[in-house]
Amino acid sequence: MSGIRKRSSGATLRDVASDAGVSFSAVSKALRNAYGVSDSMRLRVQASAERLGYRPHAAARGLRGKTFTLGVLVSDLHNSFFSEIFGGVSDTASMAGYQAMLGVGQVQPVVENAVIDAMIDRQMDGLLLVAPSMSPADLEIVAEEVPTVVIGVHLPHATSFDTVNNDDETGARLVVRHLQEQSISDIAFFTLAGLPEARGTTLEFRERGYRDEMQLLGLQQHIQVVGASMDSGEIRSAALRLLSGKRRPRAVFCWTDYAAFEVIGVAKELGLSLPEDLVVVGYDNTPYCALPQHSLTSIDQFGQLLGQQATRLLLERVAGRTSPEHFVVKPTLVTRDSTVIIKPSVSSNL
């Protein structure tokens, strides 16, 4: 046992900042006895921390030294693409003598915050957040307390944490352009619904790429965006409404392969033939796409590479780097039988 007591109240630095009426950075500095903090500020913060039962674990971690563990937060376990990212993280961390520990945020900011607080309590040296739903402001708060790298949120101007992303806008444009080259113009976009509104998400950029490319190609009258949560039943219900409605599209571009497989299942139940009656395209190019029963055309955003690069940046942060870095991977369209390939010689790259 380390002798460091756990937070009995569950209070966080955010709670202390709110109680003391000061900024998060002021709390962090006061609890570290940093230079430039007045005595009155320090006493006020310490009083709030004591009243709330908060233990300054970040300071204790500094006294203990490194734990050689990295916390990895993923939004859910439905999306098999996250396992590819985690594989890249785990391999890279292991080579550097670190252990990656996985936590699930369930696409809920409250749960995400609880997982992150638990990882900080356990003295993890850095955090890698994969597609978090929390706001940019909350990400800044986390990064002030522990070295942080974020995958799946486009915030190129962030200074306190690094980002690693696929070029989601380009990926969506590749899909629309590919389908238009197959003489398909009525293309719907199937997205994730029910998330708190947050800027810079992959969903925002993929939908933007879809809309912009549709308009560029003169197909704006066919723009149709539908969505559902990651729940299988809700995806199937939304797909059923879309495919049995009066405005059934010729093609459905899904924000992730997981949703695309459900759409394919509903289409077959309705007696639709793929790709003759309906074309489906996914995003992530997970291993299941290559299975004969799916043969799903999808955007490859190189999950292993995303995980490797994010871990590299996080280890640099842990070692002391403070200047921000923002790494972007160029996506590739992998065509399979779920789309009508009329012109196989046409390049799918922008």
Side-chain angles (χ1 to χ4, degrees):
M1 296 292 291
S2 66
I4 299 176
R5 67 179 176 86
K6 295 173 66 65
R7 298 175 194 161
S8 59
S9 67
T12 68
L13 282 182
R14 289 181 285 274
D15 298 326
V16 176
S18 176
D19 184 81
V22 299
S23 68
F24 177 89
S25 60
V27 171
S28 181
K29 290 178 181 178
L31 293 178
R32 296 197 317 267
N33 289 320
Y35 175 78
V37 178
S38 67
D39 289 340
S40 61
M41 172 73 75
R42 184 177 292 106
L43 290 173
R44 191 197 320 180
V45 169
Q46 289 174 346
S48 291
E50 184 66 25
R51 181 164 51 251
L52 296 175
Y54 175 79
R55 175 74 177 179
H57 293 281
R61 183 178 61 250
L63 295 175
R64 285 184 55 196
K66 293 181 180 178
T67 62
F68 294 96
T69 56
L70 304 176
V72 183
L73 173 77
V74 298
S75 56
D76 67 82
L77 294 179
H78 292 91
N79 195 339
S80 60
F81 178 65
F82 292 148
S83 66
E84 295 186 41
I85 292 177
F86 187 74
V89 172
S90 182
D91 290 346
T92 306
S94 178
M95 291 177 62
Y98 281 77
Q99 180 70 44
M101 310 296 286
L102 183 65
V104 183
Q106 301 178 23
V107 202
Q108 298 180 41
V110 173
V111 178
E112 289 180 354
N113 288 336
V115 172
I116 288 171
D117 285 339
M119 289 177 171
I120 293 174
D121 279 355
R122 285 159 178 77
Q123 317 303 312
M124 295 188 183
D125 296 322
L127 299 183
L128 202 163
L129 312 180
V130 184
S133 58
M134 63 180 61
S135 69
D138 282 339
L139 290 174
E140 293 281 355
I141 289 174
V142 171
E144 285 288 340
E145 188 167 359
V146 62
T148 301
V149 175
V150 181
I151 295 178
V153 178
H154 295 265
L155 295 171
H157 302 299
T159 58
S160 60
F161 57 88
D162 302 326
T163 62
V164 176
N165 287 294
N166 159 69
D167 188 342
D168 292 289
E169 188 171 346
T170 294
R173 285 179 175 271
L174 285 173
V175 172
V176 174
R177 186 174 302 181
H178 167 71
L179 294 174
Q180 195 272 339
E181 288 171 350
Q182 313 312 313
S183 301
I184 298 174
S185 57
D186 191 354
I187 307 165
F189 180 59
F190 199 106
T191 189
L192 177 63
L195 282 182
E197 188 172 345
R199 304 176 71 178
T201 64
T202 58
L203 296 169
E204 175 188 344
F205 278 68
R206 289 175 195 177
E207 182 175 336
R208 179 189 302 172
Y210 160 77
R211 289 181 179 275
D212 288 351
E213 192 67 17
M214 291 286 283
Q215 292 175 351
L216 179 66
L217 297 175
L219 307 177
Q220 57 269 19
Q221 70 273 22
H222 296 295
I223 291 176
Q224 185 178 184
V225 177
V226 297
S229 72
M230 284 295 287
D231 178 78
S232 175
E234 292 190 18
I235 293 175
R236 294 179 65 83
S237 294
L240 181 61
R241 290 192 297 271
L242 175 66
L243 300 182
S244 60
K246 294 182 179 179
R247 195 184 170 189
R248 190 185 81 199
R250 178 67 180 86
V252 180
F253 166 35
C254 298
W255 77 277
T256 185
D257 293 339
Y258 177 77
F261 296 142
E262 296 290 357
V263 171
I264 289 174
V266 171
K268 291 181 177 179
E269 290 175 3
L270 291 173
L272 300 177
S273 297
L274 280 73
E276 291 79 13
D277 298 324
L278 180 72
V279 166
V280 179
V281 180
Y283 209 112
D284 293 337
N285 194 37
T286 51
Y288 300 109
C289 294
L291 296 177
Q293 62 265 40
H294 297 311
S295 194
L296 178 66
T297 293
S298 184
I299 290 290
D300 194 340
Q301 56 172 326
F302 307 102
Q304 283 271 345
L305 177 60
L306 291 175
Q308 292 166 359
Q309 292 297 330
T311 308
R312 174 184 65 82
L313 293 177
L314 184 56
L315 292 174
E316 290 178 1
R317 282 270 182 186
V318 171
R321 176 176 56 80
T322 57
S323 58
E325 291 195 23
H326 302 285
F327 186 88
V328 179
V329 175
K330 184 177 180 180
T332 298
L333 179 68
V334 180
T335 55
R336 297 188 179 90
D337 293 344
S338 71
T339 56
V340 181
I341 311 302
I342 297 177
K343 303 174 182 178
S345 63
V346 176
S347 173
S348 62
N349 292 323
L350 290 180

